[in-house]
Amino acid sequence: MSSLNTNCLLIILLLFLSGAVHIGAEYITCSSRKSPCFLKRISCPKQCPKSLPTDPKAKVCYVNCNSPMCQAECRNRKPNCNGPGAACQDPRFIGADGIVFYFHGKSNEHFSLVSDLNLQINARFTGLRPAGRTRDYTWIQALGVLFDSHSFSVEATKTATWEYEIDHLKFSYDGKELVIPEGYPSLWKSPENEIRVERTSGRNSVIVTLPEVAEISVNVVPVTKEDDKIHNYQIPSDDCFAHLEVQFRFYGLSSKVEGVLGRTYQPDFQSPAKLGVAMPVVGGENKYRTTSLLSADCSSCVFSPVGVLHKDDSVVMNYGPLDCTGGASSGNGIVCRK
């Protein structure tokens, strides 16, 4: 009898503690009037009770304010290179449809990743071409973002050897160098809050947010000796080719969106990538090449500094970075494919 009472007390205590943890959870509110969750108080899950945890490795509480579900979820803040909207490695992209494709481009040239009426995102590629190769090995070295009449860039700085205790990120805003103090959670935002940059670790990782437009998770990494050996990159001793791993989340892209990655968000997009091959490569260098990191002059670019969505421009569904690790289908009617 005493054993039964003890077990009951333990169960009650566990339930109380569980409830206490949930009571301490944050509530998130969507402030955009366009959101179906406008002004709703949404409780964070027990697994991630904070939107800004003190531990940079902890998952954060997040609400997709464009979703009619109006539910909080846990997610990592660093790029998921296996999720839609990702661009990592020798650039390996995952489109909005979950299909993997490669776009090699060319070293020291710039290409439009996303070009929409109100947003332009370009990438500068870095790389090398060993003797006997017919193309460059390439990685994304920098991103340039145009929105309204503003510009922003983030780049991986060149270094011979990789040191984790050194920050390898460099920023600019409207043509001027931008200094974001090291340390988590260091935050910078523009005077009118059109853009925010937040460190997601002490150094080398940030999230760039354009409210109601896009969110970009960025992480800078080197080409490791293991990767060099596996792929025979023939990396020289004076450059470890520090580059960016990125993952994008977009809100309300237009049906006219273009770019290496952007076109995969078109409502009628059919991927040219060959399924079933080890490295499905897609072309388009001539369509998406820009003259600089902060220009929108590619032949397929549609960005305008005063670009706005008109009533006759259909809006593409917000996929967000879907989780394709839990099976073939991860909700929203989207089938994840590789």
Side-chain angles (χ1 to χ4, degrees), residues 307-321:
V308 294
L309 292 179
H310 300 285
K311 291 182 179 179
D312 57 348
D313 292 324
S314 59
V315 176
V316 178
M317 171 185 172
N318 167 39
Y319 290 109

Side-chain angles (χ1 to χ4, degrees), residues 20-292:
V21 171
H22 192 58
I23 290 171
E26 274 187 19
Y27 284 87
I28 296 179
T29 301
C30 295
S31 57
S32 171
R33 291 184 179 274
K34 299 178 183 178
S35 170
C37 313
F38 179 56
L39 295 185
K40 288 187 178 181
R41 295 182 75 240
I42 303 168
S43 177
C44 291
K46 299 174 185 178
Q47 296 83 356
C48 54
K50 302 293 182 182
S51 60
L52 190 62
T54 55
D55 180 2
K57 296 181 180 180
K59 290 188 176 182
V60 299
C61 175
Y62 170 80
V63 173
N64 179 359
C65 290
N66 281 6
S67 170
M69 300 297 291
C70 300
Q71 292 180 349
E73 60 187 45
C74 299
R75 68 181 179 118
N76 293 311
R77 307 193 75 195
K78 290 189 178 182
N80 173 11
C81 289
N82 293 313
C88 304
Q89 302 165 13
D90 179 11
R92 175 183 182 269
F93 293 83
I94 302 183
D97 51 9
I99 294 178
V100 174
F101 66 93
Y102 290 79
F103 177 87
H104 295 307
K106 192 175 181 180
S107 180
N108 299 318
E109 292 192 357
H110 307 88
F111 299 92
S112 169
L113 301 187
V114 178
S115 184
D116 204 5
L117 303 175
N118 63 341
L119 177 67
Q120 178 82 22
I121 303 175
N122 297 336
R124 178 194 298 134
F125 286 20
T126 186
L128 76 165
R129 183 182 299 189
R133 290 284 302 175
T134 58
R135 68 162 184 89
D136 295 342
Y137 288 120
T138 53
W139 299 269
I140 294 175
Q141 183 266 332
L143 292 179
V145 182
L146 301 174
F147 58 100
D148 296 330
S149 58
H150 300 288
S151 66
F152 171 83
S153 70
V154 54
E155 61 181 277
T157 57
K158 183 176 179 178
T159 181
T161 57
W162 182 261
E163 297 183 45
Y164 287 97
E165 298 306 312
I166 295 178
D167 188 45
H168 300 277
L169 286 172
K170 183 179 179 181
F171 309 92
S172 77
Y173 178 66
D174 284 349
K176 297 180 180 179
E177 185 173 350
L178 176 64
V179 177
I180 301 177
E182 294 182 26
Y184 171 85
S186 181
L187 171 68
W188 172 89
K189 59 183 178 180
S190 63
E192 301 299 323
N193 201 30
E194 304 101 331
I195 183 170
R196 300 194 304 269
V197 184
E198 181 182 350
R199 289 194 182 270
T200 51
S201 62
R203 56 192 67 83
N204 296 318
S205 300
V206 296
I207 282 186
V208 180
T209 304
L210 283 73
E212 300 184 39
V213 177
E215 184 181 272
I216 311 170
S217 299
V218 180
N219 191 41
V220 59
V221 295
V223 175
T224 65
K225 291 182 179 180
E226 291 77 11
D227 285 338
D228 186 21
K229 183 177 181 180
I230 292 171
H231 300 285
N232 193 30
Y233 291 137
Q234 300 179 44
I235 299 297
S237 59
D238 63 345
D239 193 347
C240 68
F241 286 93
H243 60 280
L244 305 180
E245 296 176 331
V246 297
Q247 187 177 24
F248 301 92
R249 179 191 290 265
F250 300 109
Y251 307 103
L253 292 171
S254 80
S255 59
K256 297 179 180 179
V257 63
E258 268 290 354
V260 174
L261 178 65
R263 61 179 175 169
T264 70
Y265 290 82
Q266 296 172 1
D268 57 351
F269 176 73
Q270 296 292 323
S271 177
K274 294 182 180 179
L275 299 178
V277 301
M279 183 177 284
V281 179
V282 301
E285 284 86 350
N286 293 334
K287 289 177 58 179
Y288 302 121
R289 183 180 284 107
T290 63
T291 55
S292 72

